[in-house]
Amino acid sequence: MNVSHQADLHVQRMSILLLKAAWVVAIFRGALKIVPLVSYGRSGSTVFMKALKALGCMVHNGPPYEDRTCQMAFLSHLASLGGLNSIVNSNVNIQDVIAKVPFFNSHLIASGQQQLTDLFPHFLEYTKQLCMQGESSLAEKFIGIDLLQSISGFIPRNQLRPILLLRDPRDVFLSVKQFNHKRGFRTFNDTGDDEMLYRIICAFSRQLQEVSSQLNSCLVHYEDLVENPSGVILSLCTFLELELSDSLINNTLTAIQPRSVSDKQHMTSGSLSSTVKKWEAQLTPEFSRIFELHHDKLAGLQRYE
């Protein structure tokens, strides 16, 4: 195959991709706001999802909100466009990607409405139905920054409303260790190398802060929701263009408090107030050594330096 023919095929393929991308943008124009909540695990994302639900955002299921229909639909769509490698960096099919990533679930697939490879058009139809029912926004916990950045190329900037959640990396580290011990198995990149885990958490936090300036996003801190919940609620309402009222604030303040047995099972502290700077009160000699050794990893992180 000569160079000219290869170039023609490349141009043709890019034209098809652009047409498909334009089709997606057209479908979403005037429809639901997509509200990805992006954070490292154990950063308080479940509490924030409760807040978003109380504020009127549509969520797929209840705590801990592990339904990722939107992400699965777009992963399927990216695979059909040949753009999946930019996320997973390997030549694998979409079924393999989903199978290897924990907590990828979809109520649309669980209900038997369609197969994974056919999920995207059904997801678009699902969002249309939500709009007809009066819903204005759809919130979902997102896994990873790369996926968010890829999806941002398909949804109009004004309709993609990412909320980027930061928490003190030392508290995230401690919560990961305690939660994994509580469940009896390791997740959240905890392989037993605690220094590596802490470096991963810090690096993700810095990347999340950097990405906030590149997207039409709202950067929030977990500690603020605990210590100044009304202020955070106001910020979220402004960002999502929601009408604020005293009843809405009160309902949201009530919703974020842990009450059920499942809430307590998901927590590693007795109350929300005790989750802030818990590392200071529960510092072991080994964890203290790690935090001191890698103190420079907090450099540049707002309020945690």
Side-chain angles (χ1 to χ4, degrees):
M1 185 181 295
N2 59 45
V3 175
S4 177
H5 185 53
Q6 287 181 328
D8 289 341
L9 287 177
H10 177 72
V11 171
Q12 183 181 29
R13 184 171 180 273
M14 288 303 298
S15 297
I16 293 173
L17 294 181
L18 289 172
L19 283 172
K20 288 185 175 181
W23 171 74
V24 175
V25 170
I27 290 292
F28 271 98
R29 184 172 292 121
L32 273 150
K33 292 184 181 71
I34 303 298
V35 185
L37 178 62
V38 187
S39 69
Y40 199 91
R42 307 304 302 169
S43 292
S45 57
T46 296
V47 179
F48 265 82
M49 286 294 288
K50 286 183 176 182
L52 291 172
K53 183 176 181 179
L55 290 173
C57 289
M58 173 66 187
V59 299
H60 300 306
N61 57 0
Y65 307 105
E66 301 292 359
D67 187 299
R68 293 184 166 87
T69 295
C70 179
Q71 292 157 89
M72 292 175 68
F74 271 95
L75 278 172
S76 176
H77 185 62
L78 286 171
S80 72
L81 299 181
L84 191 61
N85 289 348
S86 65
I87 298 177
V88 299
N89 297 317
S90 60
N91 293 312
V92 294
N93 64 49
I94 182 63
Q95 300 282 2
D96 291 337
V97 173
I98 296 298
K100 292 177 182 178
V101 178
F103 313 119
F104 262 125
N105 302 296
S106 169
H107 67 284
L108 292 181
I109 290 180
S111 63
Q113 294 184 31
Q114 64 279 313
Q115 298 297 313
L116 177 59
T117 53
D118 300 322
L119 182 59
F120 189 73
H122 289 273
F123 172 71
L124 293 180
E125 182 61 32
Y126 170 64
T127 62
K128 290 180 183 178
Q129 292 175 3
L130 290 178
C131 287
M132 293 174 64
Q133 295 168 11
E135 302 289 351
S136 62
S137 54
L138 173 64
E140 186 173 297
K141 284 185 183 180
F142 263 52
I143 295 179
I145 298 172
D146 290 342
L147 180 56
L148 171 63
Q149 291 177 313
S150 296
I151 288 178
S152 68
F154 289 88
I155 302 178
R157 181 179 176 86
N158 191 50
Q159 272 183 257
L160 186 67
R161 302 296 177 95
I163 296 173
L164 311 182
L165 171 60
L166 283 175
R167 184 184 182 187
D168 190 321
R170 292 160 293 194
D171 281 334
V172 175
F173 171 86
L174 188 60
S175 185
V176 167
K177 299 300 295 184
Q178 292 178 342
F179 192 61
N180 286 346
H181 178 75
K182 183 177 182 178
R183 295 192 299 179
F185 60 92
R186 292 172 176 165
T187 53
F188 308 113
N189 296 307
D190 180 8
T191 63
D193 186 336
D194 289 345
E195 287 190 35
M196 177 63 73
L197 173 62
Y198 184 62
R199 290 198 299 268
I200 290 173
I201 293 171
C202 289
F204 182 91
S205 300
R206 290 196 303 273
Q207 185 183 6
L208 198 64
Q209 183 174 276
E210 292 169 2
V211 167
S212 67
S213 63
Q214 303 167 12
L215 298 172
N216 177 33
S217 64
C218 178
L219 181 68
V220 292
H221 294 83
Y222 171 77
E223 294 81 6
D224 287 337
L225 184 65
V226 176
E227 299 174 337
N228 181 27
S230 296
V232 173
I233 292 170
L234 175 60
S235 296
L236 293 176
C237 286
T238 301
F239 179 65
L240 298 175
E241 299 178 352
L242 302 173
E243 291 187 12
L244 190 64
S245 66
D246 289 340
S247 61
L248 186 63
I249 293 176
N250 292 333
N251 289 339
T252 306
L253 291 175
T254 300
I256 64 176
Q257 296 301 318
R259 298 179 182 276
S260 67
V261 173
S262 62
D263 286 340
K264 296 176 181 178
Q265 289 175 339
H266 195 69
M267 295 179 66
T268 56
S269 301
S271 64
L272 286 182
S273 60
S274 62
T275 62
V276 175
K277 292 187 176 180
K278 63 184 295 184
W279 67 272
E280 293 183 341
Q282 302 178 24
L283 194 60
T284 67
E286 174 59 14
F287 292 168
S288 177
R289 182 191 69 82
I290 292 174
F291 295 160
E292 285 295 326
L293 181 63
H294 299 287
H295 180 72
D296 62 310
K297 301 299 187 295
L298 296 177
L301 276 176
Q302 298 172 3
R303 73 185 290 164
Y304 304 129
E305 294 181 87

